[in-house]
């Protein structure tokens, strides 16, 4: 594996940090980055990384899937992860390498980038917890299906183009509270899709040097452009994001008891009693 190469100048400019401060943590929006060509992010380095990761930390499949698809319906592309990445120009696939922070050189890169964001993040949502990194490698025209994620996230576009289609977090028109409850009790991240949603999308086009700030649990899908794409997703959790997760998990328990709990508010300090109750119940093994 290629050794870590230090970044010698800021990747996020003062103007980008100011823009992020206006958006974070609740709004999606376009940012910019100055991450130079990096040996850890070349196609061959990523193929080697994919081959070194455990099977549960790689995901890859054909890229010509519908926007809305349930996990069990996603077909295999018939290739290994290394073959998928090395031939991404022509094999019509989509791949993600997960939890790259478990590889020391990639963790160093991730922490360098997250360190530049602390001055914006920590005054708003507190300490940056559970840093994780994900790398997406996509063939021309591929689709990443409609889904949401529990992390605060900035996706840096490194090669190729794509359009991020985003919907507001916490809006039940696009992800009902039951979908949040299902996800936060162990369900898959993919969401039910309706074509009528498209008219309400915030579209964020991305090319090399662009980035997008993605709020916690914002429904989205990604449409790749007409060239192969590489993107680096740098993510972190906060006490706020964990409280939101626990509030949804607590609601799932209440729903199994026959109740119909309301959607938790987007600023989970208001859900304090419910999340503390969930933590106590989990410690006492009253819930799984």
């Amino acid at each position: 594996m290629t050794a870590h190469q230090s970044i010698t100048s800021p990747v996020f400019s003062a103007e980008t940090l100011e823009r992020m401060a206006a958006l974070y943590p609740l709004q999606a929006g376009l940012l910019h980055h100055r991450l130079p060509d990096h040996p850890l992010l070349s196609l061959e380095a990523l193929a080697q990384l994919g081959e070194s990761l455990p099977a549960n930390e790689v995901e890859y499949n054909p890229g010509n899937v519908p926007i809305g698809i349930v996990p069990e319906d996603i077909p295999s592309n018939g290739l290994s992860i290394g073959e998928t990445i090395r031939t991404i120009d022509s094999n019509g696939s989509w791949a993600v390498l997960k939890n790259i922070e478990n590889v020391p050189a990639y963790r160093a890169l991730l922490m360098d980038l997250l360190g530049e964001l602390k001055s914006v993040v920590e005054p708003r949502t507190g300490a940056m917890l559970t840093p994780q990194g994900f790398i997406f490698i996509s063939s021309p025209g591929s689709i990443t299906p409609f889904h949401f994620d529990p992390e605060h996230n900035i996706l840096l576009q490194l090669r190729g183009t794509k359009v991020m289609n985003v919907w507001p977090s916490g809006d039940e028109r696009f992800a009902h509270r039951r979908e949040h409850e299902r996800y936060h009790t162990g369900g898959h991240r993919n969401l039910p899709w309706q074509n009528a949603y498209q008219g309400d999308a915030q579209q964020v086009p991305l090319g090399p040097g662009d980035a997008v700030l993605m709020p916690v649990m914002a429904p989205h899908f990604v449409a790749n452009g007409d060239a192969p794409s590489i993107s680096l997703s740098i993510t972190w959790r906060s006490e706020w994001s964990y409280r939101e997760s626990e509030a949804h998990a607590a609601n799932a328990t209440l729903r199994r008891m026959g109740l119909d709990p309301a959607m938790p508010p987007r600023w989970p300090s208001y859900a304090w009693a419910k999340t503390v109750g969930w933590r106590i119940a989990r410690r006492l093994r009253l819930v799984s």
Side-chain angles (χ1 to χ4, degrees):
M1 186 63 63
T2 306
H4 174 58
Q5 174 180 294
S6 296
I7 299 170
T8 57
S9 61
V11 170
F12 302 108
S13 68
E15 293 78 12
T16 289
L17 295 179
E18 183 177 350
R19 168 68 172 157
M20 180 178 169
L23 297 169
Y24 183 78
L26 295 176
Q27 293 179 264
L30 179 67
L31 303 175
H32 301 286
H33 72 85
R34 300 184 296 209
L35 182 62
D37 287 342
H38 198 288
L40 291 176
L41 301 172
S42 71
L43 212 58
E44 180 56 31
L46 295 178
Q48 292 180 30
L49 174 63
E51 290 167 338
S52 73
L53 291 173
N56 65 344
E57 292 182 359
V58 299
E59 184 177 345
Y60 57 104
N61 51 254
N64 59 344
V65 294
I67 293 170
I69 186 169
V70 294
E72 56 268 27
D73 289 344
I74 298 175
S76 167
N77 70 355
L79 304 172
S80 70
I81 183 61
E83 291 169 334
T84 296
I85 293 172
R86 290 186 178 97
T87 62
I88 200 68
D89 289 21
S90 58
N91 63 27
S93 296
W94 168 90
V96 57
L97 308 181
K98 305 177 183 180
N99 301 117
I100 63 170
E101 72 282 353
N102 293 329
V103 179
Y106 286 89
R107 182 177 183 85
L109 173 61
L110 173 67
M111 299 309 293
D112 283 350
L113 296 172
L114 293 180
E116 294 189 28
L117 306 175
K118 283 188 176 183
S119 64
V120 173
V121 169
E122 292 187 342
R124 291 163 177 79
T125 54
M128 300 174 80
L129 309 175
T130 322
Q132 294 179 303
F134 304 84
I135 299 174
F136 298 88
I137 306 102
S138 310
S139 293
S142 61
I143 294 290
T144 305
F146 189 53
H147 69 284
F148 51 21
D149 301 297
E151 306 92 359
H152 304 278
N153 174 20
I154 295 178
L155 184 138
L156 289 74
Q157 188 69 14
L158 306 176
R159 174 184 171 188
T161 63
K162 61 178 54 171
V163 176
M164 185 75 71
N165 296 264
V166 192
W167 286 260
S169 297
D171 190 325
E172 289 195 82
R173 292 177 298 164
F174 311 113
H176 192 272
R177 72 192 81 163
R178 291 186 184 88
E179 294 299 326
H180 288 263
E181 294 165 15
R182 176 190 58 77
Y183 175 79
H184 287 296
T185 51
H188 197 273
R189 67 181 184 270
N190 283 11
L191 292 167
W193 169 256
Q194 296 181 29
N195 289 335
Y197 294 168
Q198 188 65 68
D200 293 296
Q202 175 186 355
Q203 294 192 318
V204 185
L206 300 172
D210 293 331
V212 60
L213 175 66
M214 290 293 296
V216 169
M217 304 306 286
H220 60 284
F221 78 86
V222 187
N224 205 45
D226 58 5
S229 168
I230 299 175
S231 307
L232 169 63
S233 185
I234 60 174
T235 79
W236 63 97
R237 299 294 298 268
S238 62
E239 179 67 15
W240 174 58
S241 77
Y242 280 121
R243 282 189 184 182
E244 180 174 69
S245 173
E246 290 161 347
H248 284 297
N251 278 357
T253 298
L254 295 174
R255 193 173 304 283
R256 287 195 295 270
M257 296 166 60
L259 302 175
D260 184 20
M263 184 83 165
R266 282 297 292 152
W267 195 260
S269 59
Y270 298 117
W272 181 85
K274 188 175 286 184
T275 61
V276 168
W278 172 256
R279 291 179 185 186
I280 292 171
R282 196 167 54 189
R283 287 194 190 108
L284 295 176
R285 305 196 178 194
L286 299 176
V287 295
S288 57

